[in-house]
Amino acid sequence: MTGATGFVAGHCVRELLEHGYQVRATVRDLDAVDRRTHLVELADRLGGAVEFVQADLTADDGWDIAHAAPAGW
């Protein structure tokens, strides 16, 4: 899910988690933990899993990791 901390993507993450999907989400800055805390709490509450990968739509870095097969999923 690109831009998972945004308003629309956040609702998409919720929907995916509610339907049992494991979510890999891109964020611009992995160090900005406060911007994604609500998604971690949501996944915990719903018994789901969300993984964060740093990637930015304006750069090529990070997208290879974002598209790689998740470990253990």
Side-chain angles (χ1 to χ4, degrees):
M1 175 64 54
T2 59
T5 58
F7 181 77
V8 173
H11 285 282
C12 293
V13 169
R14 178 187 195 107
E15 192 72 20
L16 290 166
L17 291 169
E18 286 177 343
H19 285 86
Y21 289 95
Q22 298 170 348
V23 178
R24 177 177 285 169
T26 64
V27 293
R28 285 188 210 147
D29 184 4
L30 283 175
D31 293 329
V33 176
D34 59 320
R35 297 209 58 217
R36 56 189 164 103
T37 301
H38 66 290
L39 296 174
V40 173
E41 292 170 353
L42 178 64
D44 289 344
R45 190 168 58 250
L46 296 173
V50 62
E51 174 188 12
F52 297 96
V53 177
Q54 186 166 321
D56 190 323
L57 289 173
T58 64
D60 292 335
D61 297 338
W63 293 106
D64 55 339
I65 295 169
H67 291 162
W73 285 11

